[in-house]
Every structure is written in structure tokens, then in C-alpha cells.
Amino acid sequence: MEVGAVSSSSSRVLTNNHLFSLSSNKTPLKTNFLTAKGFSFPTFSLIKPSYYKPTAISTNNPTVSTSKVKGSNERDSSVFELSSLTALSPLDGRYWNKVKELAPFMSEYGLIRYRVLVEIKWLLMLSQIPEVTEVPSFSDEAQRYMQGLIDDFGLADALEVKNIEKVTNHDVKAIEYFLKQKCQSHPEICKVLEFFHFSCTSEDINNLAHALMLKEAFNTVLFPVMDDVIGAMCNMAKEYAHVPMLSRTHGQPASPTTLGKEMAIFAVRLSRERQRLSQIEILGKFGGAVGNYNAHIVAYPEVYWPVIAEKFVKSLGLTFNPYVTQIEPHDYMASLFHAVIQFNNILTDFDKDIWGYISLGYFNQSTKAGEIGSSTMPHKVNPIDFENSEGNLGKANAGLSYLSMKLPISRWQRDLTDSTVLRNMGEGLGHSLLAYRSTLQGIGKLQVNQTRLEEDLDHCWEVLAEPIQTVMRRYGVPEPYEKLKEFTRGKAVTQESMQEFVQGLDLPQEAKANLLKLTPHTYIGAAAELAKTVDVAVNMVNGFRD
């Protein structure tokens, strides 16, 4: 089953192919544990809304009219169900197919699933503490049962949790009740139901769930695409290592380089940020209501709980943070998001440069049958992929910048402002992922226009003023810079005029001969070698460490 996104109101579910709504006239859920506590719940079923019908468009009448859905008002929000056309965020609508891999991790479904994982793993940890005799070691079968609750957790389970939350009005408590419900019929686990969420504050569960969401989203989805971007640039660097290109500083012609070397620069810059991202420690806390293990110690004073907490957090593949309030302070998140922002800034620089090179004609873009560049100018092939990437990188950085500035700030032991803000992590990462894929798509369309590159070099013999005046300095020719400035500045310089200037210099014959051989095409220094060896400089790493 494809994972969708559970809406915050839990009344709608978005999957890739269907619209679903909740109904209250279906067979009730089995909620024995909860109904025994006096709770009653709205029930749900997965059905297509009866009113949702595609609008008919006449192809016979030249005047196309669109009829409304019967009985609906286009300004009445009550008639809309969540779909790719009604989603407020384009990530969940227009761009869903390009970012949906993040949904199992960064959606509310993902948050619920990781909360379930943490609660179950904590109960299993309690069973391994000798002093907690009330929770004996579980049999292999009981452990498999609980692991199955994690492995087989699906959308129906998440909806069940959301239905419980409608009554509890507390999202984490709903997880505890859900697990008690699931385990009440198990002869072994049912004896220790009250040890679900033992001595935990909600943030013990949430901070670990958020950490796991981020770690798995990066390792599974984001890092591989980042690596693809870096790898594509490395390939361009090596392929175009010997392709000379006129540089531009301040937008003006400057000393030549090679196209490959310019691509290598971005590959190395991005790889440094990619490596820095992987070195950030993903932290977790498990110290109770204010980080002091207060309740733990009262219940079991003979257990040294800080060691247990550290062991538990590390067992999840996270780094333990012992100095916390009710919350893990989120400093690592700020560092993580800042690193993503810097990666995105570098990629924005790349997008802008490629856009400029396309504008200069250095790159052509391969075309696809049926695609339209401009609605009115048929000749245009716009650099839309790089523009799309640039726009999404800006949107991503705006959200991630706010997260990185806000999350480390919390009043005293905690306030709830982080809770609502953390639900938006997927937005910044989603726009980043969309941008990375747009850049990759754009790179795949690029075709070097060697003729145009050569034309630019042929028309800029003045760039040889730099090496000529440098050789003049070596051999003591007075005022070399001033002489070249007078010769070149604001004047048309040709191959003939430049060589005539060199012939008139008081230089050793060998030095003069070397300068006469020099052309804008060959004056590239070590650019080609730097481009060819880019793989040595790019340090690719696998992901966050366990």
C-alpha cells in the first residue's frame, strides 16, 4: 500500500490515486480497552465521496463551458475534499509525485509511526532491567508480536490513533491507548499494559520520534539525491575538463578557464556541506518531565536511570543528550537545517550560473516532443528546471531558516511553540528535494555548444593582457601593467594587434616565442587538471552515523 499523508484534522486522507472521507455509519472499531474506560469513538471507512465527479467539458462547442458539481458552490469550502487540486501546498498537490518518498517519514503518519516505535521499544527496554520485576522478560513470541506492530503499521492504524485522539485531545496519549488496545488480548503483554509510557513525558516520545524521522528521511531519501546532484556535477567536470571557456568577473570577460573546472568547483563545495551534514549528531533525550528522572527515581530508586536512558537512546541509533529540560533543546536541528540551507545556497549559485551560461548560448537544452517553452514565442526553450530549482530552494530556505532560529528558544522548561513548528519540517525538506530533482533534470538536458564557446574566446584576445604583463614584470620591463592598460582598455584587440604588441617588447626570444603561441583557448592554467581530479576532492559519505 502506498503511504499517503494523514490530514491534521484526521477527517481526510490523501493517497496518490484516491480521495477518501470518513463516515460514521460503518461497523464500529473494536476498542474494548477504551470502551471499558467509558470512551466512545467516531468510526471510519474508506469511501469515495459521492459528490466528487469530474466536470464534463464539451469538445463539440467552440465555446467551452465548465459546469459546477451539482449542488456545490465553488466558494464553499465544505464541498472540497483533499486532492491534488485542492491541496493548499503544491508539495501535496502539483509536485506530489516528485516528493512523495518523504511522506513515510515527514508526514503526520510518519510521526505517529515513530511514536509507536519508541513506546514499544521502551517497554521492551523495561523488560530488560532486572530491578523492574513487574515487567519480566518477554518471550520471543511476544517480542515478535510487538515488532509486528511496528513493521506492519499502516494508514488504518494511523487513522485509528487519530480517532482516539478525537476523544483524548492529546496526540501522544492516543498512542498509549492505541497500544494498550492492540495488546490487551495478548496473554503476556496484557499483564503490563500500564508500563506503556512508564515515567515518560510526551516529549520523551516526541523528540525521539522527530529525530528518527529526520535521520531516516535524510538517509533514505535526501542524501541519495544530494549525492546524485554532486555526482552529476563530477561527471560534467570530467567530461568538459578540456573545454576552454571565457571566464567572467563582474560580468566582464576575464582569464579563460574550462567548463569542467567550473563544474568541479560546485561539486567540491556541495560535497563539503554534504559531509558536514553527515557529521551532525542527531540527539535524543529521555529524562522525564523536566530532565531529572524525578518519577523514575521515586518508583525505582535502586535503578540508575541516566544510564538506562542513555542505553535506550543509543539503541535507537541516536546520540544521547543528558542535559535537557522537558524537551531536547533542538540545537542539533538548528545545525542540521543551517547546513541544508548552505547546501541549498551553493546549489542556488549553480542554478544561477547555468542559467547564465544558457543565456550566453554556452549550453543548448535538449527538447521533448510536445513541450512548449513560451505560450506566445514558439522558438523559446526556457531553462525552467533551473528556475524551478532556484525558486524551491528559496522557499525551502525561508522555512528552514525560521525553524533553525525558532526551535532552540523555549520558555523555561518548555512551551508548546515548538510542537506546532516541528510539524513543518517536511515542508522545507520537501521543497529542497523538489529543487534537487529539478536541477538533476535540468543537467540531463544540457548540451555543450562548443562553437559558441569558441566564438567568445576568439573575440576576447584582450584577456591575454594578464599573462603578457606578468612576463614583462619577470624580465624587468618598466610599467608593464600601465602599458597593457593603455593598449587594451576600451579598445578592440585582435590576434594580429596583440601579437604585434608582443613582437615589440624587449623580452628574451624564448619568452617572446611562448607568448606568441598563447591564445585565449590555451590560456587555461591548471583548470583541466583540477577538473579531471575532482573525484579526489569530493569526499562522499554514506549518511548519519549510528
Side-chain angles (χ1 to χ4, degrees):
M1 178 172 64
E2 182 171 304
V3 176
V6 180
S7 74
S8 59
S9 66
S10 78
S11 63
R12 294 186 294 270
V13 177
L14 173 66
T15 69
N16 195 30
N17 300 314
H18 299 89
L19 287 168
F20 295 117
S21 68
L22 303 184
S23 171
S24 59
N25 59 356
K26 300 297 175 181
T27 304
L29 292 170
K30 294 181 180 180
T31 55
N32 297 339
F33 169 80
L34 297 160
T35 53
K37 297 291 185 182
F39 293 125
S40 61
F41 303 98
T43 58
F44 72 93
S45 65
L46 302 183
I47 59 173
K48 286 188 179 180
S50 58
Y51 73 81
Y52 191 84
K53 299 176 182 178
T55 301
I57 298 179
S58 171
T59 56
N60 298 323
N61 192 329
T63 304
V64 177
S65 63
T66 58
S67 60
K68 295 179 183 178
V69 178
K70 185 177 181 180
S72 72
N73 184 323
E74 64 184 7
R75 291 186 291 267
D76 181 2
S77 62
S78 66
V79 305
F80 284 101
E81 286 293 323
L82 184 59
S83 76
S84 61
L85 292 179
T86 61
L88 294 180
S89 166
L91 293 178
D92 296 318
R94 181 181 183 89
Y95 300 124
W96 173 249
N97 282 330
K98 295 183 178 181
V99 299
K100 63 184 178 181
E101 290 93 334
L102 282 175
F105 310 105
M106 302 310 299
S107 63
E108 187 169 6
Y109 163 86
L111 176 59
I112 293 171
R113 179 179 179 273
Y114 282 113
R115 283 168 170 165
V116 167
L117 181 152
V118 173
E119 292 276 13
I120 290 174
K121 294 293 186 181
W122 177 234
L123 182 61
L124 289 169
M125 175 65 75
L126 290 172
S127 73
Q128 299 170 19
I129 304 173
E131 294 86 352
V132 185
T133 56
E134 290 77 8
V135 186
S137 297
F138 290 111
S139 66
D140 290 344
E141 188 280 329
Q143 293 182 53
R144 284 194 299 272
Y145 180 85
M146 285 188 278
Q147 186 61 45
L149 294 177
I150 299 171
D151 296 339
D152 299 332
F153 190 86
L155 277 178
D157 296 307
L159 284 168
E160 197 168 339
V161 171
K162 293 299 291 182
N163 277 332
I164 297 171
E165 185 187 338
K166 289 179 181 179
V167 178
T168 63
N169 199 29
H170 196 288
D171 48 3
V172 177
K173 201 66 177 175
I175 302 292
E176 178 187 346
Y177 287 167
F178 167 80
L179 289 172
K180 288 178 176 178
Q181 173 187 314
K182 287 291 184 182
C183 296
Q184 63 182 329
S185 61
H186 192 282
E188 193 174 337
I189 307 171
C190 70
K191 298 175 183 178
V192 294
L193 291 181
E194 294 305 324
F195 281 86
F196 277 117
H197 205 69
F198 177 77
S199 289
C200 293
T201 184
S202 296
E203 272 306 295
D204 286 330
I205 308 302
N206 282 335
N207 90 97
L208 298 180
H210 286 130
L212 291 170
M213 290 167 67
L214 287 169
K215 180 176 180 179
E216 294 306 312
F218 272 89
N219 282 347
T220 306
V221 181
L222 289 163
F223 280 157
V225 180
M226 287 177 165
D227 293 345
D228 287 344
V229 171
I230 297 169
M233 292 179 186
C234 287
N235 290 337
M236 292 176 72
K238 291 176 287 188
E239 182 178 357
Y240 307 136
H242 293 281
V243 177
M245 181 182 81
L246 186 68
S247 288
R248 278 177 167 79
T249 60
H250 310 282
Q252 307 301 309
S255 300
T257 181
T258 71
L259 182 57
K261 188 260 182 174
E262 301 309 303
M263 301 301 102
I265 291 171
F266 287 107
V268 174
R269 290 176 68 192
L270 288 173
S271 73
R272 289 194 185 115
E273 292 307 315
R274 167 69 175 82
Q275 183 181 24
R276 187 173 291 118
L277 267 168
S278 298
Q279 293 171 341
I280 293 171
E281 292 183 316
I282 307 299
L283 302 180
K285 60 87 65 172
F286 211 72
V290 292
N292 301 333
Y293 312 96
N294 303 41
H296 307 64
I297 292 172
V298 170
Y300 291 96
E302 65 275 22
V303 177
Y304 190 57
W305 289 102
V307 171
I308 298 296
E310 181 175 8
K311 181 179 179 182
F312 178 60
V313 170
K314 287 182 175 180
S315 74
L316 300 175
L318 306 172
T319 300
F320 180 60
N321 185 356
Y323 290 94
V324 296
T325 59
Q326 185 174 100
I327 65 172
E328 201 290 318
H330 307 313
D331 295 333
Y332 86 84
M333 288 186 178
S335 297
L336 181 69
F337 296 146
H338 274 304
V340 175
I341 289 170
Q342 182 58 13
F343 186 97
N344 290 353
N345 280 339
I346 295 169
L347 190 58
T348 300
D349 196 22
F350 174 83
D351 289 335
K352 287 175 177 286
D353 275 12
I354 296 296
W355 188 97
Y357 293 144
I358 293 172
S359 177
L360 291 171
Y362 289 180
F363 286 113
N364 295 324
Q365 298 176 94
S366 60
T367 58
K368 188 180 294 185
E371 279 191 347
I372 293 173
S374 166
S375 63
T376 188
M377 293 174 280
H379 68 282
K380 292 184 70 179
V381 183
N382 296 330
I384 56 174
D385 296 305
F386 299 103
E387 293 172 339
N388 181 283
S389 175
E390 181 184 337
N392 277 287
L393 291 169
K395 182 68 173 67
N397 283 3
L400 294 173
S401 178
Y402 173 71
L403 289 175
S404 63
M405 291 187 295
K406 184 272 160 295
L407 287 175
I409 302 170
S410 183
R411 296 172 182 86
W412 294 335
Q413 274 65 43
R414 81 142 325 165
D415 61 55
L416 272 177
T417 55
D418 67 329
S419 179
T420 185
V421 168
L422 283 165
R423 294 181 183 274
N424 293 278
M425 293 191 298
E427 181 192 27
L429 299 182
H431 281 288
S432 297
L433 177 62
L434 180 57
Y436 305 157
R437 288 187 162 148
S438 293
T439 295
L440 279 170
Q441 184 166 304
I443 289 174
K445 296 178 182 178
L446 294 178
Q447 298 172 337
V448 173
N449 185 349
Q450 192 114 15
T451 301
R452 183 70 187 86
L453 288 163
E454 292 173 356
E455 285 176 355
D456 254 8
L457 290 166
D458 287 338
H459 286 86
C460 287
W461 278 79
E462 63 268 22
V463 298
L464 297 185
E466 181 195 31
I468 292 171
Q469 63 100 6
T470 303
V471 173
M472 291 167 67
R473 287 176 187 274
R474 176 185 174 183
Y475 291 104
V477 177
E479 298 183 328
Y481 178 88
E482 288 73 18
K483 286 182 170 64
L484 266 299
K485 176 183 173 182
E486 182 182 353
F487 172 65
T488 62
R489 201 168 190 182
K491 300 176 182 177
V493 179
T494 65
Q495 179 179 4
E496 292 75 17
S497 65
M498 181 61 78
Q499 290 185 341
E500 182 180 345
F501 178 86
V502 171
Q503 289 283 13
L505 293 174
D506 183 16
L507 291 173
Q509 195 59 40
E510 183 180 359
K512 188 179 294 188
N514 287 335
L515 288 177
L516 289 171
K517 292 177 185 176
L518 203 59
T519 74
H521 300 263
T522 59
Y523 180 48
I524 58 172
E529 186 63 27
L530 288 168
K532 286 190 298 182
T533 58
V534 64
D535 289 339
V536 177
V538 170
N539 185 5
M540 304 295 278
V541 284
N542 294 325
F544 287 122
R545 297 167 296 180
D546 287 335

